[in-house]
Amino acid sequence: MSRIRGMRGHLASSIAVTCAAALSLPLALSSNATATPSVAPSAAERRTTGNATPGGTTPGSTQSLPLTPLTPSTPRTPRTPPSSSPSSPSSGDRTLPPPALASAQGLARRDVRRFSLVGVVWDDPDSELHGRVQVRTRATGTTTWSAWQDVDTHNHEHAADPDTAERASGRVRGSTAPLWVGDSDGVEVRVQGEADGRTGADGRAVTAEPLPKGLHVELVDPGAEPPPQGPEVNAPPPGVLTAESAAAASAVNAELAPIGATEIPALSQKETRADLLETRGEELDPTDTTDAAGAADTVAASANQRAKPYIGARPRIVTRRGWGADEGLRESNFSYTKTVKAVFVHHSASGNNYRCAQAPSVIRSIYRYHVKSSGWRDIGYNFLVDKCGNIYEGRAGGVAKPVMGAHTLGFNSKSMGIAVLGSFGKANPPAASVKAVAKLTAWKLGLYGANPRGKTYLKSGGGNLYRKGKNVRLNVISGHRDGFATECPGGRLYAKLGKARATSARYQGR
């Protein structure tokens, strides 16, 4: 009966395993948002990566275009009222007098192949971009350009830990957070270095630090939605890892759902407990009458702690196949940590301008950006949650297993990362998303005996808050900013973590 029997080795063992399977400055970019001739990229600029399927289709691609220095020579563009034309920039796209410029690079407005997500990368992952990155895009098939949009530059803290094989692969690059812009076929970019308040002899502002070398803008096309599919025909029996099923990342979840399934179904709390007890060689207490909502029964907890473990009902989880992951992008093997003692909650900082039906496309785009643009082994997060409360499998390796992620620099070991799709510095997170975080943590932390309202200790792998090797006391459900000095997961989402902890504990029956 057990659907999670395959995780027995991880619950019983503490052996870490690696499996073999706008800117308001008059730059040399036009600030007029009406339709004007666009520059076509040269062949040298069209460094594009894609993966063709056997049928000849392309499930996604990345265009990488180099940024070049900007000059203050272009006259200031007159400000156009936003109501004068549907193509006009917003009132936030104002310009300033041309006093001076700090270091600046960009990409002139141009036509490109279709894309939906944008980010900026550079050569050295240890270099930080101190300044401001803004993009403007044109909706596909129209003459309408968006207003300038800020891209979150503080992204280096979402990464593999120092001294790990993933970090030392030689492929990792510095990167901004990705920004979802929707279906687009035109782009303009400007990157402004942060000035330190001084003015040089040439009248330009002196940049506090130079911009990183090798700046490129990455334009990601998530590809078409995969057709609805059920379990694979003639799939190998559970537990048999063939090359094909390992590449599809399905076999690691074979005890929870058929190989090739697009989702792992939800269970009641009683069914979840029965599964967990079976992995321990124990039996379910026949007096347990807990319903699927997670309310505890009247039997004293002290008398039934062994027979009725604290764990929430397993929620429905969309698998990697369900959101259309191209398994040929990531590294073929999986990497595990010893256990799951804590959860770090993030926001993706990719913006809130998406529909729930587009969430799989957003995730495919982030996945491709993490792997092809940033140089990571796989998507960084262990799970992702959309604004409607849907839960998605993230990094491959098995949803019930302690998969090593790349989400919280210095604290990826013995933890997992959940990203809520969106930006929550100023916007409130949807209640459905917070509830989904509570459901997911009640289940996953329950598998490893962790109390969502409790505290735990993690050893720092190194970061800007805690030195390497320091034992740090953290909430079992923490925000990214608890382990690293960052705005993530945004002030509004961070303020909801107390509620998530209490709800998660209640779902566990505490």
Side-chain angles (χ1 to χ4, degrees):
M1 167 189 170
S2 173
R3 299 176 181 82
I4 58 174
R5 189 181 304 111
M7 63 167 287
R8 181 185 297 116
H10 294 283
L11 293 173
S13 172
S14 62
I15 300 175
V17 181
T18 300
C19 290
L23 280 180
S24 304
L25 295 172
L27 308 182
L29 299 177
S30 169
S31 60
N32 182 2
T34 56
T36 60
S38 300
V39 179
S42 67
E45 291 174 323
R46 289 182 178 271
R47 182 174 69 80
T48 304
T49 59
N51 295 78
T53 63
T57 60
T58 303
S61 63
T62 303
Q63 302 170 71
S64 184
L65 308 177
L67 304 187
T68 57
L70 301 175
T71 67
S73 58
T74 303
R76 181 164 56 121
T77 302
R79 180 174 174 180
T80 304
S83 60
S84 64
S85 165
S87 298
S88 297
S90 73
S91 58
D93 188 49
R94 55 191 180 277
T95 57
L96 294 178
L101 281 178
S103 176
Q105 294 188 34
L107 181 76
R109 179 187 304 180
R110 65 181 56 207
D111 299 327
V112 292
R113 289 190 301 281
R114 292 172 68 165
F115 70 98
S116 296
L117 180 138
V118 61
V120 170
V121 301
W122 53 92
D123 295 339
D124 184 0
D126 294 322
S127 295
E128 294 185 44
L129 197 163
H130 295 282
R132 191 176 185 186
V133 176
Q134 291 183 301
V135 299
R136 176 160 61 180
T137 58
R138 183 184 62 207
T140 296
T142 74
T143 59
T144 303
W145 286 81
S146 72
W148 287 106
Q149 299 185 74
D150 286 292
V151 179
D152 191 342
T153 61
H154 301 290
N155 192 55
H156 68 286
E157 64 269 20
H158 299 81
D161 287 346
D163 303 326
T164 60
E166 181 171 6
R167 181 74 175 185
S169 67
R171 299 189 302 272
V172 180
R173 304 166 77 186
S175 59
T176 67
L179 178 68
W180 177 260
V181 294
D183 194 5
S184 306
D185 61 8
V187 67
E188 185 175 4
V189 184
R190 57 190 184 189
V191 179
Q192 179 74 63
E194 187 176 82
D196 69 359
R198 294 177 295 145
T199 302
D202 60 356
R204 297 190 184 191
V206 177
T207 306
E209 291 187 28
L211 292 175
K213 294 181 180 179
L215 289 171
H216 282 70
V217 60
E218 305 286 293
L219 308 176
V220 180
D221 171 20
E225 294 292 332
Q229 294 176 325
E232 294 178 4
V233 178
N234 299 322
V240 178
L241 276 171
T242 67
E244 182 176 356
S245 62
S250 293
V252 286
N253 291 319
E255 297 293 339
L256 287 75
I259 291 178
T262 58
E263 67 176 55
I264 295 168
L267 296 179
S268 70
Q269 188 170 31
K270 189 170 183 177
E271 289 172 324
T272 303
R273 284 175 172 165
D275 268 357
L276 179 57
L277 290 171
E278 188 170 343
T279 68
R280 298 176 178 175
E282 302 171 15
E283 294 183 358
L284 184 66
D285 182 351
T287 66
D288 185 355
T289 58
T290 304
D291 62 21
D297 62 24
T298 58
V299 183
S302 59
N304 294 306
Q305 191 167 357
R306 273 182 62 83
K308 191 189 70 174
Y310 293 119
I311 186 170
R314 188 181 76 197
R316 171 182 173 271
I317 302 172
V318 178
T319 65
R320 291 172 63 91
R321 186 170 187 180
W323 54 261
D326 178 357
E327 300 297 349
L329 292 181
R330 64 172 177 84
E331 290 189 13
S332 59
N333 60 333
F334 309 127
S335 181
Y336 297 98
T337 184
K338 294 179 180 180
T339 186
V340 178
K341 296 174 64 178
V343 173
F344 287 98
V345 178
H346 306 255
H347 66 172
S348 63
S350 52
N352 303 316
N353 190 27
Y354 73 94
R355 302 185 306 275
C356 291
Q358 294 176 307
S361 294
V362 176
I363 296 171
R364 289 198 305 277
S365 298
I366 294 173
Y367 170 45
R368 176 172 280 276
Y369 183 74
H370 281 181
V371 176
K372 304 301 290 186
S373 300
S374 301
W376 301 355
R377 61 178 293 124
D378 195 349
I379 192 170
Y381 308 112
N382 298 102
F383 296 92
L384 301 98
V385 174
D386 69 20
K387 62 176 63 176
C388 290
N390 297 303
I391 300 170
Y392 302 84
E393 177 184 14
R395 181 164 287 207
V399 297
K401 299 178 182 180
V403 177
M404 174 78 84
H407 48 83
T408 306
L409 181 65
F411 291 101
N412 291 304
S413 181
K414 300 181 182 179
S415 73
M416 76 173 192
I418 302 172
V420 180
L421 296 178
S423 300
F424 303 109
K426 298 180 180 179
N428 289 320
S433 300
V434 177
K435 184 176 181 179
V437 169
K439 286 183 175 180
L440 176 58
T441 54
W443 171 68
K444 186 66 180 275
L445 289 172
L447 295 177
Y448 296 89
N451 182 350
R453 286 187 303 206
K455 303 281 188 179
T456 191
Y457 282 89
L458 293 179
K459 182 176 289 187
S460 172
N464 64 0
L465 274 183
Y466 303 105
R467 60 174 173 77
K468 182 177 180 180
K470 181 177 176 61
N471 282 319
V472 182
R473 189 168 185 259
L474 296 161
N475 288 310
V476 168
I477 298 180
S478 286
H480 186 183
R481 63 176 64 179
D482 294 320
F484 199 97
T486 174
E487 289 298 313
C488 186
R492 298 292 183 90
L493 178 55
Y494 188 78
K496 297 292 185 181
L497 294 188
K499 180 177 181 179
R501 294 183 193 107
T503 305
S504 180
R506 178 166 57 84
Y507 286 156
Q508 282 191 348
R510 295 183 185 273

